Amino acid sequence: MRPKACARATVSARATVPNRTTVFIRASMFVRATVLTLAVLLAAVACVPAPDGPAGPVTARAPGVRASSAPAPTGLERAVLAAGDVPGYELSGAPAPDAEGVPRADRAACAPLAEVMGGAPDDRARATVSRGLGARLHPGLAVSASLSAYALPDARRLIARLTTALARCGTAFGTLLDGHRAAYQDVRAAPYAVRGEESVSWTATATGQGVPAPVHLVVVRRGATIVRFMAIDLSGRAPTTVAVPHDIADRQLDKLARTLGE
């Protein structure tokens, strides 16, 4: 059983990173400050090794979704990444207490970019399952992958909203969630080759408590399923950019196609 104290560990984001465990603790603390879901999902990795078997399912209900639609469909649970699917990463399926919620942008034009970093991509998601992955060979790299079930028109609408927001938002915006503020600078669309019917990708530099970290987000539509990938580099070392590893994105999308036939 995971010690409850792990989720509340206090580690300076400016501290030297001596080992992988410290990196994951920094990831969980930084994410609460930056309101970035991917590190919230990784909070459970901070104090435990990779699980021996498949991680349990995680369901994050979007605000406004009725309780009757909250349980994740069995297909999503089977399609999300499990332990051993991506060698070289430690996987967590357990959410932190604050894994749910919707970050609010300081400008309406940027709202979709902020909301997609919440517990679900937006309030039309019917169910979401998520996994966090920490890179064993790249200390400081944390990645999340999530699958969300949608009605097909709503899935298409989400991609369109994100594409429009990237064009209209500009290069910077701020977010607020549960009293925590974060700033995103150098927001830019970023080419990213990925298998899917539609996708949108962008990079930014996130700052929480004065500590900057590069982030990368990729949102893909496969049929009526929305797949989100988020990566953050907390090492504080060069390079100052980060990208979602293709081995994670490719294996998640391949598994989704095999499982759901999309």
Side-chain angles (χ1 to χ4, degrees), residues 3-4 27 77 90-91 175-176 247:
K4 293 183 179 179
E77 296 173 5
E90 293 187 0
L91 182 144
T175 61
L176 177 67
D247 52 354

Side-chain angles (χ1 to χ4, degrees), residues 196-241:
E197 294 166 66
E198 296 181 281
S199 66
V200 59
S201 165
W202 68 99
T203 58
T205 299
T207 303
Q209 297 181 336
V211 181
V215 298
H216 181 211
L217 295 96
V218 181
V219 182
V220 185
R221 183 179 68 82
R222 293 288 299 262
T225 303
I226 290 293
V227 187
R228 287 180 300 171
F229 301 103
M230 296 185 253
I232 185 169
D233 188 340
L234 300 167
S235 67
R237 299 186 296 268
T240 57
T241 60

Side-chain angles (χ1 to χ4, degrees), residues 20-164:
R20 187 171 67 252
T21 298
T22 304
V23 169
F24 290 144
I25 294 175
R26 283 183 61 197
S28 65
M29 299 306 295
F30 183 90
V31 157
R32 284 176 171 79
T34 61
V35 199
L36 194 62
T37 294
L38 72 91
V40 171
L41 296 173
L42 288 173
V45 185
C47 301
V48 296
D52 294 329
V58 177
T59 301
R61 181 173 31 162
V65 176
R66 293 184 305 235
S68 61
S69 65
T74 301
L76 282 189
E77 296 173 5
R78 290 187 288 110
V80 75
L81 289 174
D85 282 345
V86 188
Y89 294 87
E90 293 187 0
L91 182 144
S92 171
D98 52 358
E100 296 190 23
V102 181
R104 299 300 181 186
D106 56 3
R107 291 185 292 122
C110 307
L113 303 181
E115 292 168 4
V116 80
M117 294 186 288
D122 68 6
D123 60 4
R124 299 192 181 203
R126 295 177 171 181
T128 297
V129 293
S130 302
R131 294 293 183 265
L133 301 98
R136 293 191 181 105
L137 298 181
H138 301 281
L141 176 62
V143 185
S144 74
S146 76
L147 308 178
S148 296
Y150 277 80
L152 182 56
D154 292 337
R156 289 172 171 162
R157 173 181 176 272
L158 174 63
I159 297 295
R161 291 183 68 229
L162 291 172
T163 301
T164 299

